[in-house]
mmCIF file with all atom_site columns, all heavy atoms in Angstrom:
data_model
loop_
_atom_site.group_PDB
_atom_site.id
_atom_site.type_symbol
_atom_site.label_atom_id
_atom_site.label_alt_id
_atom_site.label_comp_id
_atom_site.label_asym_id
_atom_site.label_entity_id
_atom_site.label_seq_id
_atom_site.pdbx_PDB_ins_code
_atom_site.Cartn_x
_atom_site.Cartn_y
_atom_site.Cartn_z
_atom_site.occupancy
_atom_site.B_iso_or_equiv
_atom_site.pdbx_formal_charge
_atom_site.auth_seq_id
_atom_site.auth_comp_id
_atom_site.auth_asym_id
_atom_site.auth_atom_id
_atom_site.pdbx_PDB_model_num
ATOM 1   N N   . GLU A 1 88  ? -21.603 -170.505 53.986 1.00 79.00 ? 104 GLU A N   1
ATOM 2   C CA  . GLU A 1 88  ? -21.926 -169.336 53.205 1.00 79.00 ? 104 GLU A CA  1
ATOM 3   C C   . GLU A 1 88  ? -20.680 -168.568 52.777 1.00 79.00 ? 104 GLU A C   1
ATOM 4   O O   . GLU A 1 88  ? -19.646 -168.638 53.412 1.00 79.00 ? 104 GLU A O   1
ATOM 5   C CB  . GLU A 1 88  ? -22.827 -168.384 54.014 1.00 79.00 ? 104 GLU A CB  1
ATOM 6   C CG  . GLU A 1 88  ? -24.125 -169.011 54.496 1.00 79.00 ? 104 GLU A CG  1
ATOM 7   C CD  . GLU A 1 88  ? -25.030 -169.434 53.378 1.00 79.00 ? 104 GLU A CD  1
ATOM 8   O OE1 . GLU A 1 88  ? -25.040 -168.756 52.326 1.00 79.00 ? 104 GLU A OE1 1
ATOM 9   O OE2 . GLU A 1 88  ? -25.725 -170.474 53.516 1.00 79.00 ? 104 GLU A OE2 1
ATOM 10  N N   . GLU A 1 89  ? -20.835 -167.799 51.688 1.00 81.00 ? 105 GLU A N   1
ATOM 11  C CA  . GLU A 1 89  ? -19.789 -166.862 51.342 1.00 81.00 ? 105 GLU A CA  1
ATOM 12  C C   . GLU A 1 89  ? -19.817 -165.731 52.336 1.00 81.00 ? 105 GLU A C   1
ATOM 13  O O   . GLU A 1 89  ? -20.853 -165.371 52.887 1.00 81.00 ? 105 GLU A O   1
ATOM 14  C CB  . GLU A 1 89  ? -19.990 -166.305 49.924 1.00 81.00 ? 105 GLU A CB  1
ATOM 15  C CG  . GLU A 1 89  ? -19.836 -167.361 48.838 1.00 81.00 ? 105 GLU A CG  1
ATOM 16  C CD  . GLU A 1 89  ? -19.867 -166.731 47.441 1.00 81.00 ? 105 GLU A CD  1
ATOM 17  O OE1 . GLU A 1 89  ? -19.891 -165.506 47.345 1.00 81.00 ? 105 GLU A OE1 1
ATOM 18  O OE2 . GLU A 1 89  ? -19.818 -167.518 46.454 1.00 81.00 ? 105 GLU A OE2 1
ATOM 19  N N   . VAL A 1 90  ? -18.648 -165.153 52.603 1.00 85.00 ? 106 VAL A N   1
ATOM 20  C CA  . VAL A 1 90  ? -18.538 -164.091 53.615 1.00 85.00 ? 106 VAL A CA  1
ATOM 21  C C   . VAL A 1 90  ? -19.471 -162.945 53.316 1.00 85.00 ? 106 VAL A C   1
ATOM 22  O O   . VAL A 1 90  ? -20.067 -162.348 54.242 1.00 85.00 ? 106 VAL A O   1
ATOM 23  C CB  . VAL A 1 90  ? -17.093 -163.607 53.714 1.00 85.00 ? 106 VAL A CB  1
ATOM 24  C CG1 . VAL A 1 90  ? -16.999 -162.368 54.601 1.00 85.00 ? 106 VAL A CG1 1
ATOM 25  C CG2 . VAL A 1 90  ? -16.199 -164.713 54.263 1.00 85.00 ? 106 VAL A CG2 1
ATOM 26  N N   . SER A 1 91  ? -19.672 -162.632 52.076 1.00 81.00 ? 107 SER A N   1
ATOM 27  C CA  . SER A 1 91  ? -20.514 -161.492 51.694 1.00 81.00 ? 107 SER A CA  1
ATOM 28  C C   . SER A 1 91  ? -21.972 -161.682 52.101 1.00 81.00 ? 107 SER A C   1
ATOM 29  O O   . SER A 1 91  ? -22.727 -160.722 52.204 1.00 81.00 ? 107 SER A O   1
ATOM 30  C CB  . SER A 1 91  ? -20.452 -161.268 50.177 1.00 81.00 ? 107 SER A CB  1
ATOM 31  O OG  . SER A 1 91  ? -20.917 -162.404 49.465 1.00 81.00 ? 107 SER A OG  1
ATOM 32  N N   . GLU A 1 92  ? -22.363 -162.950 52.335 1.00 82.00 ? 108 GLU A N   1
ATOM 33  C CA  . GLU A 1 92  ? -23.774 -163.235 52.732 1.00 82.00 ? 108 GLU A CA  1
ATOM 34  C C   . GLU A 1 92  ? -23.975 -163.068 54.232 1.00 82.00 ? 108 GLU A C   1
ATOM 35  O O   . GLU A 1 92  ? -25.104 -163.095 54.706 1.00 82.00 ? 108 GLU A O   1
ATOM 36  C CB  . GLU A 1 92  ? -24.116 -164.642 52.316 1.00 82.00 ? 108 GLU A CB  1
ATOM 37  C CG  . GLU A 1 92  ? -24.014 -164.915 50.823 1.00 82.00 ? 108 GLU A CG  1
ATOM 38  C CD  . GLU A 1 92  ? -24.971 -164.075 50.031 1.00 82.00 ? 108 GLU A CD  1
ATOM 39  O OE1 . GLU A 1 92  ? -26.128 -163.878 50.496 1.00 82.00 ? 108 GLU A OE1 1
ATOM 40  O OE2 . GLU A 1 92  ? -24.601 -163.592 48.953 1.00 82.00 ? 108 GLU A OE2 1
ATOM 41  N N   . MET A 1 93  ? -22.921 -162.884 54.993 1.00 80.00 ? 109 MET A N   1
ATOM 42  C CA  . MET A 1 93  ? -23.027 -162.820 56.448 1.00 80.00 ? 109 MET A CA  1
ATOM 43  C C   . MET A 1 93  ? -23.307 -161.390 56.900 1.00 80.00 ? 109 MET A C   1
ATOM 44  O O   . MET A 1 93  ? -22.721 -160.425 56.346 1.00 80.00 ? 109 MET A O   1
ATOM 45  C CB  . MET A 1 93  ? -21.733 -163.332 57.103 1.00 80.00 ? 109 MET A CB  1
ATOM 46  C CG  . MET A 1 93  ? -21.493 -164.809 56.817 1.00 80.00 ? 109 MET A CG  1
ATOM 47  S SD  . MET A 1 93  ? -19.971 -165.382 57.620 1.00 80.00 ? 109 MET A SD  1
ATOM 48  C CE  . MET A 1 93  ? -20.138 -167.128 57.250 1.00 80.00 ? 109 MET A CE  1
ATOM 49  N N   . GLU A 1 94  ? -24.169 -161.264 57.903 1.00 75.00 ? 110 GLU A N   1
ATOM 50  C CA  . GLU A 1 94  ? -24.535 -159.934 58.358 1.00 75.00 ? 110 GLU A CA  1
ATOM 51  C C   . GLU A 1 94  ? -24.571 -159.786 59.867 1.00 75.00 ? 110 GLU A C   1
ATOM 52  O O   . GLU A 1 94  ? -24.421 -158.689 60.378 1.00 75.00 ? 110 GLU A O   1
ATOM 53  C CB  . GLU A 1 94  ? -25.901 -159.522 57.767 1.00 75.00 ? 110 GLU A CB  1
ATOM 54  C CG  . GLU A 1 94  ? -25.945 -159.454 56.255 1.00 75.00 ? 110 GLU A CG  1
ATOM 55  C CD  . GLU A 1 94  ? -27.322 -159.076 55.697 1.00 75.00 ? 110 GLU A CD  1
ATOM 56  O OE1 . GLU A 1 94  ? -28.238 -158.992 56.549 1.00 75.00 ? 110 GLU A OE1 1
ATOM 57  O OE2 . GLU A 1 94  ? -27.420 -158.856 54.504 1.00 75.00 ? 110 GLU A OE2 1
ATOM 58  N N   . SER A 1 95  ? -24.855 -160.872 60.593 1.00 73.00 ? 111 SER A N   1
ATOM 59  C CA  . SER A 1 95  ? -25.072 -160.735 62.023 1.00 73.00 ? 111 SER A CA  1
ATOM 60  C C   . SER A 1 95  ? -24.713 -162.048 62.730 1.00 73.00 ? 111 SER A C   1
ATOM 61  O O   . SER A 1 95  ? -24.218 -162.979 62.151 1.00 73.00 ? 111 SER A O   1
ATOM 62  C CB  . SER A 1 95  ? -26.538 -160.402 62.300 1.00 73.00 ? 111 SER A CB  1
ATOM 63  O OG  . SER A 1 95  ? -27.371 -161.504 61.965 1.00 73.00 ? 111 SER A OG  1
ATOM 64  N N   . GLN A 1 96  ? -25.009 -162.050 64.034 1.00 79.00 ? 112 GLN A N   1
ATOM 65  C CA  . GLN A 1 96  ? -24.754 -163.251 64.851 1.00 79.00 ? 112 GLN A CA  1
ATOM 66  C C   . GLN A 1 96  ? -25.519 -164.460 64.348 1.00 79.00 ? 112 GLN A C   1
ATOM 67  O O   . GLN A 1 96  ? -25.082 -165.591 64.567 1.00 79.00 ? 112 GLN A O   1
ATOM 68  C CB  . GLN A 1 96  ? -25.175 -162.981 66.305 1.00 79.00 ? 112 GLN A CB  1
ATOM 69  C CG  . GLN A 1 96  ? -24.391 -161.923 67.021 1.00 79.00 ? 112 GLN A CG  1
ATOM 70  C CD  . GLN A 1 96  ? -24.895 -161.703 68.443 1.00 79.00 ? 112 GLN A CD  1
ATOM 71  O OE1 . GLN A 1 96  ? -25.647 -162.509 68.962 1.00 79.00 ? 112 GLN A OE1 1
ATOM 72  N NE2 . GLN A 1 96  ? -24.492 -160.582 69.038 1.00 79.00 ? 112 GLN A NE2 1
ATOM 73  N N   . LEU A 1 97  ? -26.624 -164.259 63.662 1.00 75.00 ? 113 LEU A N   1
ATOM 74  C CA  . LEU A 1 97  ? -27.457 -165.346 63.205 1.00 75.00 ? 113 LEU A CA  1
ATOM 75  C C   . LEU A 1 97  ? -26.723 -166.267 62.206 1.00 75.00 ? 113 LEU A C   1
ATOM 76  O O   . LEU A 1 97  ? -27.022 -167.428 62.088 1.00 75.00 ? 113 LEU A O   1
ATOM 77  C CB  . LEU A 1 97  ? -28.738 -164.817 62.576 1.00 75.00 ? 113 LEU A CB  1
ATOM 78  C CG  . LEU A 1 97  ? -29.696 -164.085 63.504 1.00 75.00 ? 113 LEU A CG  1
ATOM 79  C CD1 . LEU A 1 97  ? -30.875 -163.516 62.743 1.00 75.00 ? 113 LEU A CD1 1
ATOM 80  C CD2 . LEU A 1 97  ? -30.155 -165.015 64.634 1.00 75.00 ? 113 LEU A CD2 1
ATOM 81  N N   . ASP A 1 98  ? -25.796 -165.703 61.434 1.00 76.00 ? 114 ASP A N   1
ATOM 82  C CA  . ASP A 1 98  ? -25.110 -166.490 60.437 1.00 76.00 ? 114 ASP A CA  1
ATOM 83  C C   . ASP A 1 98  ? -23.579 -166.400 60.499 1.00 76.00 ? 114 ASP A C   1
ATOM 84  O O   . ASP A 1 98  ? -22.873 -166.825 59.605 1.00 76.00 ? 114 ASP A O   1
ATOM 85  C CB  . ASP A 1 98  ? -25.555 -166.069 59.019 1.00 76.00 ? 114 ASP A CB  1
ATOM 86  C CG  . ASP A 1 98  ? -25.580 -164.565 58.845 1.00 76.00 ? 114 ASP A CG  1
ATOM 87  O OD1 . ASP A 1 98  ? -24.790 -163.870 59.486 1.00 76.00 ? 114 ASP A OD1 1
ATOM 88  O OD2 . ASP A 1 98  ? -26.386 -164.083 58.027 1.00 76.00 ? 114 ASP A OD2 1
ATOM 89  N N   . ALA A 1 99  ? -23.058 -165.874 61.604 1.00 83.00 ? 115 ALA A N   1
ATOM 90  C CA  . ALA A 1 99  ? -21.622 -165.665 61.724 1.00 83.00 ? 115 ALA A CA  1
ATOM 91  C C   . ALA A 1 99  ? -20.837 -166.953 61.768 1.00 83.00 ? 115 ALA A C   1
ATOM 92  O O   . ALA A 1 99  ? -19.731 -167.079 61.227 1.00 83.00 ? 115 ALA A O   1
ATOM 93  C CB  . ALA A 1 99  ? -21.288 -164.826 62.939 1.00 83.00 ? 115 ALA A CB  1
ATOM 94  N N   . GLY A 1 100 ? -21.390 -167.987 62.400 1.00 85.00 ? 116 GLY A N   1
ATOM 95  C CA  . GLY A 1 100 ? -20.675 -169.252 62.560 1.00 85.00 ? 116 GLY A CA  1
ATOM 96  C C   . GLY A 1 100 ? -19.787 -169.216 63.767 1.00 85.00 ? 116 GLY A C   1
ATOM 97  O O   . GLY A 1 100 ? -19.691 -168.229 64.496 1.00 85.00 ? 116 GLY A O   1
ATOM 98  N N   . GLN A 1 101 ? -19.091 -170.355 63.995 1.00 89.00 ? 117 GLN A N   1
ATOM 99  C CA  . GLN A 1 101 ? -18.170 -170.491 65.136 1.00 89.00 ? 117 GLN A CA  1
ATOM 100 C C   . GLN A 1 101 ? -16.778 -170.820 64.633 1.00 89.00 ? 117 GLN A C   1
ATOM 101 O O   . GLN A 1 101 ? -16.600 -171.430 63.596 1.00 89.00 ? 117 GLN A O   1
ATOM 102 C CB  . GLN A 1 101 ? -18.670 -171.619 66.077 1.00 89.00 ? 117 GLN A CB  1
ATOM 103 C CG  . GLN A 1 101 ? -20.042 -171.354 66.669 1.00 89.00 ? 117 GLN A CG  1
ATOM 104 C CD  . GLN A 1 101 ? -20.492 -172.511 67.529 1.00 89.00 ? 117 GLN A CD  1
ATOM 105 O OE1 . GLN A 1 101 ? -19.729 -173.422 67.845 1.00 89.00 ? 117 GLN A OE1 1
ATOM 106 N NE2 . GLN A 1 101 ? -21.783 -172.527 67.872 1.00 89.00 ? 117 GLN A NE2 1
ATOM 107 N N   . ALA A 1 102 ? -15.769 -170.430 65.433 1.00 89.00 ? 118 ALA A N   1
ATOM 108 C CA  . ALA A 1 102 ? -14.382 -170.695 65.054 1.00 89.00 ? 118 ALA A CA  1
ATOM 109 C C   . ALA A 1 102 ? -13.995 -172.067 65.584 1.00 89.00 ? 118 ALA A C   1
ATOM 110 O O   . ALA A 1 102 ? -13.470 -172.203 66.670 1.00 89.00 ? 118 ALA A O   1
ATOM 111 C CB  . ALA A 1 102 ? -13.463 -169.625 65.635 1.00 89.00 ? 118 ALA A CB  1
ATOM 112 N N   . ASP A 1 103 ? -14.237 -173.085 64.766 1.00 81.00 ? 119 ASP A N   1
ATOM 113 C CA  . ASP A 1 103 ? -14.025 -174.476 65.221 1.00 81.00 ? 119 ASP A CA  1
ATOM 114 C C   . ASP A 1 103 ? -12.598 -174.949 64.993 1.00 81.00 ? 119 ASP A C   1
ATOM 115 O O   . ASP A 1 103 ? -12.240 -176.067 65.376 1.00 81.00 ? 119 ASP A O   1
ATOM 116 C CB  . ASP A 1 103 ? -14.995 -175.400 64.552 1.00 81.00 ? 119 ASP A CB  1
ATOM 117 C CG  . ASP A 1 103 ? -16.322 -175.419 65.296 1.00 81.00 ? 119 ASP A CG  1
ATOM 118 O OD1 . ASP A 1 103 ? -16.358 -175.003 66.444 1.00 81.00 ? 119 ASP A OD1 1
ATOM 119 O OD2 . ASP A 1 103 ? -17.327 -175.806 64.687 1.00 81.00 ? 119 ASP A OD2 1
ATOM 120 N N   . SER A 1 104 ? -11.783 -174.182 64.336 1.00 83.00 ? 120 SER A N   1
ATOM 121 C CA  . SER A 1 104 ? -10.359 -174.487 64.182 1.00 83.00 ? 120 SER A CA  1
ATOM 122 C C   . SER A 1 104 ? -9.591  -173.208 64.482 1.00 83.00 ? 120 SER A C   1
ATOM 123 O O   . SER A 1 104 ? -9.822  -172.172 63.865 1.00 83.00 ? 120 SER A O   1
ATOM 124 C CB  . SER A 1 104 ? -10.075 -174.948 62.765 1.00 83.00 ? 120 SER A CB  1
ATOM 125 O OG  . SER A 1 104 ? -8.695  -175.145 62.563 1.00 83.00 ? 120 SER A OG  1
ATOM 126 N N   . ILE A 1 105 ? -8.709  -173.265 65.485 1.00 91.00 ? 121 ILE A N   1
ATOM 127 C CA  . ILE A 1 105 ? -8.016  -172.031 65.953 1.00 91.00 ? 121 ILE A CA  1
ATOM 128 C C   . ILE A 1 105 ? -6.524  -172.347 66.086 1.00 91.00 ? 121 ILE A C   1
ATOM 129 O O   . ILE A 1 105 ? -6.138  -173.197 66.881 1.00 91.00 ? 121 ILE A O   1
ATOM 130 C CB  . ILE A 1 105 ? -8.592  -171.556 67.287 1.00 91.00 ? 121 ILE A CB  1
ATOM 131 C CG1 . ILE A 1 105 ? -10.107 -171.475 67.247 1.00 91.00 ? 121 ILE A CG1 1
ATOM 132 C CG2 . ILE A 1 105 ? -7.958  -170.237 67.697 1.00 91.00 ? 121 ILE A CG2 1
ATOM 133 C CD1 . ILE A 1 105 ? -10.762 -171.316 68.629 1.00 91.00 ? 121 ILE A CD1 1
#
Side-chain angles (χ1 to χ4, degrees):
E104 302 297 326
E105 293 188 6
V106 171
S107 61
E108 301 297 321
M109 296 181 173
E110 297 180 354
S111 68
Q112 295 179 15
L113 295 176
D114 46 29
Q117 300 176 12
D119 277 340
S120 175
I121 309 167

